[in-house]
Amino acid sequence: RRNEEAAAEYYRLAANQGLAKAQFNFALCCTNGWGVPKNESKAVQLYRAAADQGFPGAEYEVGMRYVLGKGVPEDESIAARWFERAGNQGHAMAQTNLGIMYFEGAGVEKNIEKCLYWYRKAAKGGSATAQNNLGDMFENATGVDLDLEKAKEYYKDAALNGHTRASERLVALGGTLPSK
């Protein structure tokens, strides 16, 4: 506990100097109560300060707060803009969320091509959810031609990344589970 308090204090001091990574890390402390009392409004301020400097993890966190309405009003269209900023810098979870948003038309106009674009980027970045969702799209011919071999490839990648449902779909399609 004492180490958490010391770490939080060092992050706070560095955050006050305007260092984006420190702002992000101190925001995590405030979000989770690591070494400081939980304080979501302070966390949002810090995530936003780091995001305004282009820190992708903070951009993602700001987006999540808008999705969840946590410390800010719920607004999926604002969330999508933050996810796109983080996604353009290679943040796989932001890319996955954008893919989902384009698939569902949540906060953005439904667009399967953009959904595929973001899922593919996220899948290359190791997102098991994006890999699984691409597997679903190829298995069910959703916005793409039916391609069970491609579906199995994506499911296999997702299974390697610990996605249980992808493992089940892979086996159901006659594929074999990868060994780690």
Side-chain angles (χ1 to χ4, degrees):
R1 188 77 194 149
R2 190 161 175 252
N3 288 341
E4 282 184 4
E5 290 171 4
E9 179 60 13
Y10 286 121
Y11 287 139
R12 184 189 67 76
L13 291 170
N16 288 343
Q17 298 298 312
L19 300 172
K21 189 168 186 172
Q23 291 167 332
F24 175 76
N25 286 332
F26 190 50
L28 289 173
C29 292
C30 293
T31 297
N32 297 295
W34 297 334
V36 294
K38 285 186 179 185
N39 185 337
E40 190 61 36
S41 64
K42 180 70 173 172
V44 169
Q45 288 175 338
L46 290 159
Y47 286 132
R48 182 63 195 258
D52 285 342
Q53 294 182 64
F55 192 81
E59 292 168 339
Y60 168 78
E61 289 295 338
V62 170
M64 285 305 300
R65 268 133 192 87
Y66 278 103
V67 166
L68 302 170
K70 215 172 155 183
V72 295
E74 189 175 315
D75 189 326
E76 289 180 327
S77 64
I78 293 174
R81 290 196 298 271
W82 284 108
F83 290 149
E84 186 166 7
R85 284 179 60 168
N88 283 331
Q89 294 186 69
H91 195 285
M93 291 190 311
Q95 293 166 339
T96 300
N97 286 357
L98 264 177
I100 292 167
M101 293 175 94
Y102 278 113
F103 185 83
E104 296 175 351
V108 294
E109 192 172 320
K110 185 173 180 147
N111 184 319
I112 295 298
E113 287 305 311
K114 287 184 179 180
C115 164
L116 286 165
Y117 170 80
W118 288 110
Y119 276 166
R120 285 181 173 128
K121 286 181 83 74
K124 285 180 185 164
S127 168
T129 300
Q131 293 161 342
N132 175 74
N133 292 357
L134 282 165
D136 286 345
M137 292 177 83
F138 281 100
E139 180 182 359
N140 299 303
T142 306
V144 294
D145 291 334
L146 178 70
D147 189 333
L148 296 181
E149 290 309 308
K150 256 192 183 158
K152 286 192 276 189
E153 287 174 32
Y154 280 117
Y155 286 142
K156 188 173 192 172
D157 290 342
L160 278 168
N161 284 315
H163 200 287
T164 305
R165 185 187 169 284
S167 300
E168 294 165 359
R169 293 306 313 140
L170 177 62
V171 171
L173 292 176
T176 55
L177 289 174
S179 57
K180 288 191 174 187

